[in-house]
Amino acid sequence: MSGPNSDYDPVEVTPLKAEEVEAMREAALAAIAAAADLDQLKEVRLAHAGDRSPLALANREIGALPPQARKEAGQRVGQARGAVNQALAARTEVLEAEHEERMLVEETVDVTLPVDRLPRGSRHPITTGSELIADVFVAMGWEVAEGPVVEAEWLNFDALNLGADHPARTMQDTFWTEPADHHVVLRTHTSPVQARTMLTRTPPIYVVCPGRVFRTDEYDATHSPMFHQVEGLVVDEGITMAHLKGSLDHFATAMFGEGIDTRFRPSYFPFTEPSAEVDLRCFVCRGVAGEVETCRTCRGEGWIEWGGCGVVNPRVLTACGIDPERYTGFAFGMGIDRTLMFRHGITDLRDIFEGDVRFAAAFGTEI
Ligand code: DAH
């Protein structure tokens, strides 16, 4: 009678041959030595010491060996795994030390460097100037209104009583967008904001609208195809030209100081009736006899052209849905660039637009 041949397995397990185990160990040690950083070493650890590594798999085969072969194979695989783990630990230590050293060099902060070496930026005088102008009116209880720079032809012209054949249309050299039959322009003035405001609000209306405008002008010391205007609009009961004059005098004084007022000269704008050109008292000679004659700022006039204004044309009120029997209004429009040129003695308009940071910096960090 023979017993069950349970602990003898005649199958030879190749991975457990001495030279195989040796090859696995060699491969693992070579990979460990070749790992250049901790990330690579992590991969090597997975491949050569992880659960699915050749040595781990070999270890699992040991149980399948005949008892007499188990001891020797167990020792062989155990030693190889021990050597691999040792090599991994040693390499980890080396790579960690290297990593730390590199971080120390790469992340060095020179605490002896002087601070605040970066020049402080400054806001552009057009931005601060527009805000300053708006503030003058906001302080009187007005609101700031805005509109898009890409504007409907109707709002830029027709709503303002500048019909298609109106000769004044050609006074404003317009940038048209394509296709022409969409009737869209780059706004030539801030006056369309008047129309937008009247269409969306009900009187009493007190708004000021600073913004960018466009005309096909040459680019020189006094012209630019893009510039800035500020529009003012009041619509209320009982508004007269006297309110307009008072508001503009206040604006002039706020911008240029005590004693700087305005004067009106009769003029024509389709959206106002009557209309006037506004002149600003020359802030250099103030029109004083003995000084005005030689003043180079106003060229002996005592006054400087500042903008346009007038009583809102009833046709504009009607086009924008406001009853001209009940309400009257006034409006004005000035060049912001021009105003700031006066205020700061800027002689070339191009300095405002060319973006040299030294120009803006000269105005300081005005908030
Ligand atoms: N929109 C005019 C222009 O750009 C300026 C202007 C004139 C605005 C008279 C007004 C005004 O509001 O009443 O030439």
Side-chain angles (χ1 to χ4, degrees):
M1 180 184 122
S2 60
N5 195 8
S6 58
D7 50 5
Y8 179 70
D9 180 353
V11 178
E12 254 211 80
V13 185
T14 14
L16 292 178
K17 279 188 181 166
E19 57 274 28
E20 289 292 337
V21 175
E22 184 55 25
M24 290 174 198
R25 188 173 108 117
E26 290 301 320
L29 295 182
I32 292 166
D37 56 37
L38 289 166
D39 282 342
Q40 285 183 18
L41 190 64
K42 199 171 157 193
E43 279 170 33
V44 170
R45 184 191 306 276
L46 210 66
H48 294 278
D51 286 350
R52 312 199 56 79
S53 62
L55 278 170
L57 296 176
N59 196 47
R60 273 192 234 154
E61 302 284 351
I62 292 169
L65 293 176
Q68 50 274 54
R70 261 186 225 160
K71 191 170 166 218
E72 204 193 335
Q75 255 175 15
R76 221 173 9 241
V77 174
Q79 273 170 10
R81 296 182 84 194
V84 169
N85 283 334
Q86 238 173 35
L88 274 170
R91 189 72 187 139
T92 305
E93 212 169 292
V94 170
L95 290 177
E96 269 172 1
E98 260 178 40
H99 176 72
E100 207 155 299
E101 211 160 296
R102 192 161 358 104
M103 297 306 271
L104 284 177
V105 174
E106 281 173 7
E107 295 179 6
T108 302
V109 175
D110 184 350
V111 292
T112 65
L113 281 178
V115 290
D116 210 15
R117 270 287 174 86
L118 287 177
R120 202 163 288 172
S122 29
R123 299 172 76 213
H124 196 278
I126 289 292
T127 311
T128 50
S130 301
E131 288 176 4
L132 181 75
I133 292 170
D135 283 350
V136 171
F137 292 94
V138 168
M140 295 194 287
W142 297 32
E143 289 173 84
V144 176
E146 283 180 340
V149 293
V150 180
E151 186 56 285
E153 175 188 5
W154 189 84
L155 289 163
N156 193 81
F157 293 122
D158 302 70
L160 300 169
N161 196 31
L162 273 142
D165 303 322
H166 201 291
R169 271 210 189 196
T170 50
M171 277 162 51
Q172 302 195 347
D173 302 314
T174 310
F175 282 111
W176 293 88
T177 66
E178 302 234 342
D181 62 355
H182 283 194
H183 302 286
V184 171
V185 301
L186 296 190
R187 69 179 179 193
T188 57
H189 50 178
T190 41
S191 302
V193 187
Q194 284 191 28
R196 285 183 171 271
T197 305
M198 287 187 272
L199 286 165
T200 52
R201 302 182 193 209
T202 47
I205 292 170
Y206 290 81
V207 291
V208 61
C209 341
R212 205 173 278 184
V213 301
F214 304 83
R215 292 191 197 170
T216 58
D217 280 343
E218 291 298 320
Y219 185 52
D220 61 30
T222 53
H223 297 89
S224 161
M226 189 280 287
F227 55 103
H228 301 83
Q229 283 189 340
V230 57
E231 190 84 12
L233 172 72
V234 167
V235 181
D236 203 346
E237 289 181 16
I239 292 295
T240 71
M241 202 125 177
H243 296 115
L244 169 62
K245 181 71 167 64
S247 303
L248 289 176
D249 280 347
H250 176 73
F251 181 22
T253 307
M255 294 303 290
F256 297 98
E258 267 325 302
I260 302 301
D261 53 0
T262 60
R263 78 170 182 188
F264 287 175
R265 277 179 295 116
S267 184
Y268 172 77
F269 296 102
F271 28 93
T272 42
E273 180 57 41
S275 304
E277 300 276 348
V278 195
D279 290 345
L280 183 70
R281 186 176 296 278
C282 177
F283 44 85
V284 176
C285 70
R286 293 175 177 248
V288 175
E291 286 179 35
V292 62
E293 296 78 5
T294 52
C295 182
R296 289 197 299 172
T297 303
C298 64
R299 299 203 179 85
E301 290 287 324
W303 297 94
I304 299 163
E305 278 183 39
W306 198 23
C309 66
V311 170
V312 180
N313 192 322
R315 294 177 65 134
V316 173
L317 293 176
T318 307
C320 298
I322 290 176
D323 177 7
E325 297 296 326
R326 180 167 172 202
Y327 294 105
T328 48
F330 69 73
F332 60 83
M334 316 297 171
I336 293 183
D337 318 272
R338 202 170 145 72
T339 305
L340 295 180
M341 283 171 84
F342 295 153
R343 193 162 186 265
H344 299 291
I346 301 163
T347 50
D348 194 324
L349 181 65
R350 288 169 292 197
D351 286 340
I352 295 180
F353 299 123
E354 278 177 3
D356 186 328
V357 288
R358 291 169 298 180
F359 172 75
F363 291 84
T365 313
E366 215 176 305
I367 306 281

